[in-house]
Amino acid sequence: MSGHIDRRDPVTVLALSGPLRLLDVPVVRGLLLKCLAECPAGVVVDLSALTVVQPVVLMVFPAVLNRAATWPAVPVVLAAPSEATLAALHRSSVTRTVPVRATLDEAVEAARTGSAPLGRLRIHLRPTDAAAAEARRFMRDACAAWSLEGVVDEATVIVTELVDNAARHARTELVVTLAYRGIYLNIAVSDGAPEPARKRTDASAPGYSLPGKGLRLVDAFATAWGTLPTEDGKTTWATVRVG
């Protein structure tokens, strides 16, 4: 089995092709998480060229979406024009939790309009000493626009730490994405370095990417946080509950 990612705007399409077997689960999971990590408006998984050898493997889709329920909360729709694939989806009960459409165009439209965020903003930053200050202003402006004054302080601390860490260690262009989705404010900082951010437990221990307080502050203020690989590096994300 192989996968191809088409980064359309605003919906990303993940096309899977070939026979789908149990051993392909890690590959499918990894590809889907990469798509979600980039915080598109929606993700469509095109199954038109996929042959389902073992229907139980299709449960990878609800499993990944359950893991990503609080972040990034991006709508995912399956496109299954094949009657055999659609039947396999029904047998495995995937259709109870993941929406399915008969054509790719219908799936793209459903992902684009199905559960759009109440607000979504993105800014590109250079890895300079000024990046964290720019991210703070960006966050405060967003919270003011979305009437999220109740979480602005926590969210500002989180985005400051994530951007400062990326600017210091990745030293690549940074992309900060904010998405307000009902009861959650999602924060994502993407950079071009593959090494994941990790919470430092021993200030003298080597190999940790965040100095000082770092991710301990993120850990304290965020509802949840983590790091996901992307095609060009990684995205470190955090979620703040606002409702």
Side-chain angles (χ1 to χ4, degrees), residues 110-184:
R112 186 179 66 83
T113 61
S115 58
L118 300 176
R120 185 169 179 267
L121 295 170
R122 177 170 288 173
I123 188 173
H124 293 252
L125 300 174
R126 294 182 58 80
T128 66
D129 291 342
E134 291 182 57
R136 282 195 294 273
R137 287 193 293 271
F138 181 57
M139 176 63 77
R140 291 192 179 279
D141 289 345
C143 287
W146 297 333
S147 300
L148 298 179
E149 290 83 1
V151 297
V152 63
D153 292 336
E154 298 95 321
T156 300
V157 169
I158 291 168
V159 79
T160 298
E161 295 298 336
L162 296 183
V163 168
D164 184 62
N165 176 61
R168 289 173 180 270
H169 297 276
R171 298 191 178 279
T172 67
E173 181 180 274
L174 314 176
V175 181
V176 181
T177 303
L178 309 179
Y180 172 35
R181 299 180 183 274
I183 62 173
Y184 292 110

Side-chain angles (χ1 to χ4, degrees), residues 61-85:
F61 298 115
V64 170
L65 297 188
N66 181 62
R67 170 182 170 182
T70 58
W71 187 93
V74 171
V76 175
V77 181
L78 305 180
S82 163
E83 290 186 7
T85 300

